[in-house]
Amino acid sequence: MKTGQRSELKSLCEQYSKFFYIGAAVDCDRMDHYKAIIDRHFNSITPENSMKFNVIHPEADEFDWQGADAIVSYALNSGKIVRGHTLLWHQQLPNWVFSSENHPICRESLLRIMEKHICEIVSRYKGKVNIWDVVNEALSDDIGFFRSTSWLDVIGEDYIKKAFCFAREANPDAKLFYNDFNGNKKDKQDRIFELIRGMKKENVPVDGVGIQAHYNIFYPELDDIKREIERYSKLGVRIHITELDISVFDFSDGRKDMIIPSYEQLQRQEEMYYRIFEIYRQYNDVIDNVTLWGVADDYTWLDNYPVSGRKDWPLLFDEQLKAKNVLNRVMDIR
Ligand code: G3I
């Protein structure tokens, strides 16, 4: 049997089973819509928004488990793993967190809020969700080391370490990740490396780095992708590719008039996905999971970023939920 024929018969996650898990981000409102594709091609699921602070913990004494529960039970019933996303972030925060009656909120009160938030969620899914993006995007993209956030302002620089310790307490068996973007850029990569190195030195329980991988057909350089993986692997941590997608637009391209992607854009996208998966396979000794940030081109966060209301086509399945040619390229692992 020729390689091409064999690829068509296998699913994406079967084809990659000896390398790493293949995941997709999805929310419960689109789970049925994508069920056939997810059932067949993905063996890992990340809730795109259902576990974010404002959704799961909308009021101080109220947790809303509906969306997260639905995703977790679907995943478990269909033999898939779940990447929990994300316990602490500067976005998607409900107002109550930073505006208490004893305004301004003090370090101790905020630490108790953080502890309750992390412990309730991680404990609820103990044994079901064993991978967590504990802290998301806490480092600066320009000057300074830390991103300027209210968590940092109120608690101080140790808020990241505290978050990992709370998560470990709640589930000693969970694998705990720091998740960020732009690590292909030298300055940001240095910060991520230093953060993890420092935490390991102080025995803070961090198990891995999540490389988000929001790329486009022109960016980044493949060598920078390799360098980033090599750098983190020196820290003795695991690596997950947590949010892969490849926009068909250069970041500075503001066009809004396209209704379908051009042949050239799709060709470039195929080549980029092919090369990137080739790199991931090369480093499969440290990479355990490659997750796409979405399922099919009919819905992607990139439809509103960086140009609001501009359609993008960054994924492996098209707007009719049919496999794009790029899927065959990714499955070609000769
Ligand atoms: O659910 C509400 C809906 O009730 C309301 O009518 C509608 C009006 O705008 O908003 C809906 O919420 C939106 C939510 O997605 C669900 O669709 C939010 O406005 C919107 O901001 C939110 O965007 C998400 C974004 O994170 C912010 O949380 C994207 O879907 C999600 O793909 C994106 O994912 C992030 C990762 O978590 C972290 N890394 C970057 C990545 C891309 O930004």
Side-chain angles (χ1 to χ4, degrees), residues 210-224:
I211 295 177
Q212 292 193 3
H214 293 295
Y215 298 150
N216 69 54
I217 58 176
F218 305 101
Y219 173 90
E221 295 292 330
L222 298 175
D223 281 346
D224 288 339

Side-chain angles (χ1 to χ4, degrees), residues 132-183:
W132 287 97
D133 287 334
V134 177
V135 177
N136 205 37
E137 303 171 8
L139 297 175
S140 168
D141 282 289
D142 38 62
I143 45 164
F145 186 79
F146 293 102
R147 179 188 292 278
S148 167
T149 69
S150 303
W151 297 109
L152 179 69
D153 288 350
V154 178
I155 297 178
E157 293 181 359
D158 62 344
Y159 85 92
I160 300 174
K161 297 175 200 165
K162 294 275 184 198
F164 278 86
C165 292
F166 292 145
R168 174 63 91 235
E169 256 173 55
N171 182 356
D173 298 325
K175 299 292 174 213
L176 307 180
F177 280 71
Y178 173 74
N179 188 42
D180 214 329
F181 60 91
N182 273 348

Side-chain angles (χ1 to χ4, degrees), residues 216 218 247-259 265 302-313:
N216 69 54
F218 305 101
S247 166
V248 301
F249 297 102
D250 182 67
F251 198 73
S252 59
D253 183 343
R255 268 180 299 173
K256 276 186 110 168
D257 56 348
M258 298 187 65
I259 49 168
Q265 285 173 317
L302 290 168
D303 289 343
N304 282 305
Y305 186 84
V307 180
S308 176
R310 190 267 305 276
K311 185 80 202 111
D312 202 338
W313 299 274

Side-chain angles (χ1 to χ4, degrees), residues 2-9 328 334:
K2 286 183 201 156
T3 313
Q5 286 172 315
R6 204 180 313 131
S7 306
E8 278 165 27
L9 293 176
N328 270 338
R334 278 168 297 180

Side-chain angles (χ1 to χ4, degrees), residues 73 95 99 268:
S73 67
N95 290 334
S99 53
R268 276 183 175 270

Side-chain angles (χ1 to χ4, degrees), residues 118-123 126 165-173:
I118 292 177
C119 292
E120 289 263 351
I121 298 172
V122 174
S123 311
K126 194 173 173 180
C165 292
F166 292 145
R168 174 63 91 235
E169 256 173 55
N171 182 356
D173 298 325

